[in-house]
Amino acid sequence: MGRPKQFDPDVAVEQAMDVFWRKGYGGTTPQDLVDALGIGKGSLYNTFGSKHALFEAALSRYRDGQAAALIELLGESGPAKDRLRRALRLVAEMDLADPDRRGCLAVNTAAELGQADESAAQLVRRMLDRTEDAFRALIEEGQRAGEIDSDRDAYAIGSLLLNTIVGMRLIARVADGPERLDRVIDAIVDSL
């Protein structure tokens, strides 16, 4: 019978997510993970199988936490434009408050790995699809309420909002302050 695990794999995935988020997939070494998780390489590989498998678990954890929070905010009650503005401001504030300015792990992964890593690309696509669907649903709700012109294509606006948030997350990585992001938020919401 094998020795019992001396660490919590769920906590380890959370810690690994932070390392991958700060350093990227390629910039993270197995030793970085071992050091951050406080475990031996044998435990790392016995539990997760590979650095890549741990990365996928970390990216899934990110999706379940970060993306879910945005989608939940978009689904709250109240005027659609107000919810959209609050959601975009929340993202900007979180990114600007992060001392490491890590941006979005999904966006970072898409930029770093692109199509070179199909399984990571698939995870990122699913996360982006969920976010875009939430934006589209919000727009359709705003259209039914008469808040947003019903002649506008809700799918196209959902894609535009997804693109906006991706761009905002990149801008926030190097922004000196919130001014540019505030202008983007005001312009996109006011354009609806």
Side-chain angles (χ1 to χ4, degrees):
M1 185 152 93
R3 290 184 356 206
K5 287 184 174 49
Q6 299 297 313
F7 67 99
D8 181 343
D10 285 335
V11 172
V13 169
E14 191 76 26
Q15 293 167 327
M17 180 181 72
D18 184 60
V19 176
F20 287 123
W21 202 351
R22 280 185 290 108
K23 295 184 152 212
Y25 178 76
T28 299
T29 66
Q31 189 62 49
D32 292 332
L33 295 167
V34 165
D35 292 345
L37 279 54
I39 61 174
K41 281 187 182 177
S43 294
L44 176 77
Y45 290 112
N46 286 336
T47 302
F48 300 105
S50 66
K51 171 186 160 182
H52 193 270
L54 179 55
F55 176 68
E56 287 180 356
L59 193 54
S60 293
R61 172 73 52 88
Y62 178 83
R63 175 199 63 212
D64 294 343
Q66 296 283 322
L70 174 66
I71 291 168
E72 183 179 319
L73 180 60
L74 292 172
E76 291 179 354
S77 62
K81 286 184 178 184
D82 290 349
R83 282 183 281 155
L84 177 59
R85 191 179 307 272
R86 281 196 324 267
L88 295 176
R89 287 205 192 288
L90 175 67
V91 169
E93 289 166 4
M94 286 184 339
D95 284 352
L96 292 172
D98 179 2
D100 294 326
R101 296 291 177 95
R102 297 172 297 177
C104 172
L105 181 59
V107 172
N108 298 349
T109 299
E112 178 185 2
L113 301 177
Q115 290 294 322
D117 183 331
E118 180 52 36
S119 61
Q122 189 174 40
L123 282 167
V124 170
R125 276 193 302 272
R126 281 191 297 232
M127 192 178 324
L128 296 176
D129 288 346
R130 282 178 56 193
T131 304
E132 185 177 44
D133 287 346
F135 281 135
R136 178 193 44 77
L138 178 71
I139 296 305
E140 289 173 341
E141 187 180 328
Q143 288 174 324
R144 285 190 300 274
E147 199 180 339
I148 297 170
D149 183 356
S150 61
D151 290 337
R152 308 264 318 261
D153 182 343
Y155 286 93
I157 297 171
S159 296
L160 175 64
L161 291 169
L162 176 66
N163 190 57
T164 299
I165 205 166
V166 167
M168 286 175 52
R169 302 214 70 181
L170 288 172
I171 290 169
R173 292 192 72 174
V174 296
D176 290 332
E179 295 79 16
R180 179 175 285 155
L181 295 173
D182 288 343
R183 286 193 308 269
V184 168
I185 293 165
D186 290 340
I188 196 71
V189 174
D190 293 346
S191 74
L192 299 175

